[in-house]
Amino acid sequence: MKSSERGLAAKSLDEKLRLPAAFTTVHRVAAGEIDAYAHVNNTVYVQWLESIAWAHSSKFGVPLERCLAIQRGWEIRHTRVYNLEPASLDDILLLGT
């Protein structure tokens, strides 16, 4: 193990994600998310971002239904996805926003 890897392993989850008070969820990769290359299709990552963003918003009392009722919403203005390695069927991933 490289010294840089040992340092990463010692960091807290928030430090690894570089997010203050990260909202996270665990996701198991499903068969419908796999593409012809036998890993998660790139478009699925964006679907996961939208899904976790709504879950995060709902946690604060602003679910999709409320946004529709008040004719307000949000958009993905900036995204950063670190694909450390391809995600495959049945992998268990930590998603965060």
Side-chain angles (χ1 to χ4, degrees):
M1 180 182 287
K2 298 178 194 173
S3 63
S4 61
E5 291 171 342
R6 282 192 299 274
L8 183 62
K11 291 183 178 180
S12 73
L13 178 60
D14 287 343
E15 289 174 314
K16 288 178 188 177
L17 295 175
R18 297 183 184 187
L19 299 169
F23 178 84
T24 61
T25 190
V26 175
H27 177 78
R28 181 184 296 267
V29 176
E33 298 169 325
I34 302 298
D35 64 15
Y37 294 102
H39 59 68
V40 172
N41 186 279
N42 289 323
T43 61
V44 173
Y45 290 100
V46 176
Q47 293 170 351
W48 290 343
L49 290 172
E50 183 177 15
S51 176
I52 194 170
W54 279 119
H56 193 178
S57 183
S58 293
K59 178 182 175 185
F60 291 101
V62 190
L64 173 61
E65 297 78 16
R66 173 123 171 85
C67 289
L68 292 172
I70 63 174
Q71 297 183 344
R72 297 288 185 266
W74 57 268
E75 63 184 58
I76 297 173
R77 298 189 75 187
H78 175 82
T79 186
R80 189 180 313 165
V81 177
Y82 294 103
N83 291 328
L84 303 177
E85 61 183 71
S88 302
L89 182 63
D90 291 327
D91 280 354
I92 298 174
L93 308 176
L94 177 67
L95 307 180
T97 185

